[in-house]
Amino acid sequence: MGSLLPLSLLLLLAAAYPGGGGARRRRGARAQGPGGSSPAPSETSAPFWVRVSPGFKAVQPGGSVWLNCSTSCPLPENSSLSTGLQRGQTLSGPGWVSYQLLDVRAWSSEVRCFVTCAGETRGATAKITAYKRPQSVILEPPLLVGNEYTLRCHVTHVFPVGFLVVTLRRGGRVIYSENLKRYTGTDLANVTLTYTLPARPRDFWKPVTCHARLSLDGLVVRSSSAPITLTGLAWRPARKALASTSIAALAGILLVVGAAYLRKRPLMQNRSKERRVSAG
């Protein structure tokens, strides 16, 4: 039949591709895993991640904090922590290491956690902030000197002062604000803000308050004083002494008048009786 190939041609083809079908079958078998599924990729060849938590932590000066460094690497070769803070205990488990940091006093510190997996090192960063909320915010009673009020606000035991803003408000409106970013001290401090305000009748009986705000890279801490009312009676000490003397003098006059009246009253009563007897 014309469709049949000559035997010699078939032999040549077989010689040119010896075992071709078997090789294809072997390659196909190598491409199949057990049970006919593809083999899993190498555990160390896949990308891995490193995380540290918490990523941001605020503590009071001298406090401590725990940071947890975790990874998706199944067989980490090494884990380490880079920090200038004092280190305490270290705990570890499968895929994680926890580090304790002691006596945190720097207002802001970066801590980096590193993990090495299959020869590759990756890391994650956390930020630790030390702060102290003001122990108190006190606004003194306003002092009227001439035509001006003197307002004095005390913010006590606060840290870090360089991130403190002190604001005075009258009737809810800002009348003065001071940013203390120029202050670079690293200890707890007391801050006193003094401000003079023109005395105007329209401001009488309006409340004045003092506000302290710490802005620490996303963490905002606020404290406020009790309100003080502006009045026209915020006298100077000399005026207060004069007023007290005047009041005392007035009280003395009233006492003298009262005593004279009491002495005259029996005499008036006797005279009234005598008149009634004479009329009878």
Side-chain angles (χ1 to χ4, degrees):
M1 296 174 62
S3 60
L4 297 177
L5 293 174
L7 180 60
S8 58
L9 181 58
L10 290 174
L11 292 175
L12 289 174
L13 290 172
Y17 301 99
R24 284 192 296 272
R25 284 191 297 273
R26 283 194 296 272
R27 284 196 296 270
R30 283 197 297 270
Q32 298 292 325
S37 60
S38 300
S42 171
E43 291 182 342
T44 58
S45 64
F48 69 99
W49 48 257
V50 176
R51 296 172 184 163
V52 60
S53 62
F56 174 82
K57 182 67 176 180
V59 299
Q60 294 197 10
S64 62
V65 62
W66 281 91
L67 292 181
N68 184 70
C69 184
S70 58
T71 180
S72 61
C73 177
L75 296 172
E77 300 170 12
N78 184 46
S79 297
S80 62
L81 192 73
S82 175
T83 178
L85 300 174
Q86 179 182 342
R87 292 178 55 171
Q89 302 180 55
T90 300
L91 303 177
S92 62
W96 62 269
V97 181
S98 289
Y99 302 94
Q100 185 186 31
L101 302 176
L102 305 173
D103 195 28
V104 180
R105 295 189 179 276
W107 81 264
S108 182
S109 302
E110 283 194 350
V111 180
R112 290 184 62 84
C113 168
F114 296 97
V115 174
T116 301
C117 183
E120 181 180 358
T121 300
R122 297 186 179 184
T125 303
K127 175 169 283 190
I128 300 176
T129 293
Y131 81 97
K132 173 66 170 61
R133 177 189 295 273
Q135 180 176 335
S136 61
V137 179
I138 302 172
L139 181 62
E140 292 184 4
L143 187 65
L144 184 59
V145 179
N147 295 322
E148 291 182 332
Y149 288 107
T150 297
L151 303 176
R152 188 168 286 111
C153 178
H154 304 279
V155 182
T156 65
H157 290 81
V158 60
F159 177 84
V161 178
F163 292 82
L164 178 67
V165 177
V166 182
T167 303
L168 292 172
R169 293 177 177 268
R170 178 190 58 217
R173 298 183 61 180
V174 175
I175 56 177
Y176 184 74
S177 185
E178 180 76 21
N179 192 323
L180 301 177
K181 60 183 179 182
R182 66 182 180 276
Y183 186 87
T184 58
T186 58
D187 298 318
L188 289 172
N190 298 325
V191 177
T192 298
L193 172 67
T194 301
Y195 179 72
T196 56
L197 175 69
R200 297 175 297 184
R202 66 182 181 182
D203 294 329
F204 290 169
W205 310 112
K206 287 186 178 179
V208 177
T209 50
C210 182
H211 305 265
R213 185 182 78 247
L214 280 173
S215 298
L216 305 169
D217 293 338
L219 174 68
V220 179
V221 180
R222 292 184 172 90
S223 301
S224 301
S225 71
I228 298 292
T229 303
L230 294 176
T231 69
L233 302 179
W235 302 321
R236 289 181 296 180
R239 292 186 178 181
K240 289 184 178 180
L242 178 60
S244 300
T245 303
S246 300
I247 293 172
L250 178 60
I253 293 172
L254 291 176
L255 288 174
V256 170
V257 172
Y261 173 75
L262 291 176
R263 284 196 300 270
K264 290 181 180 180
R265 186 175 180 183
L267 182 59
M268 294 174 63
Q269 289 178 348
N270 291 333
R271 290 180 180 177
S272 178
K273 290 179 180 180
E274 292 175 356
R275 291 194 189 99
R276 285 197 298 269
V277 170
S278 301

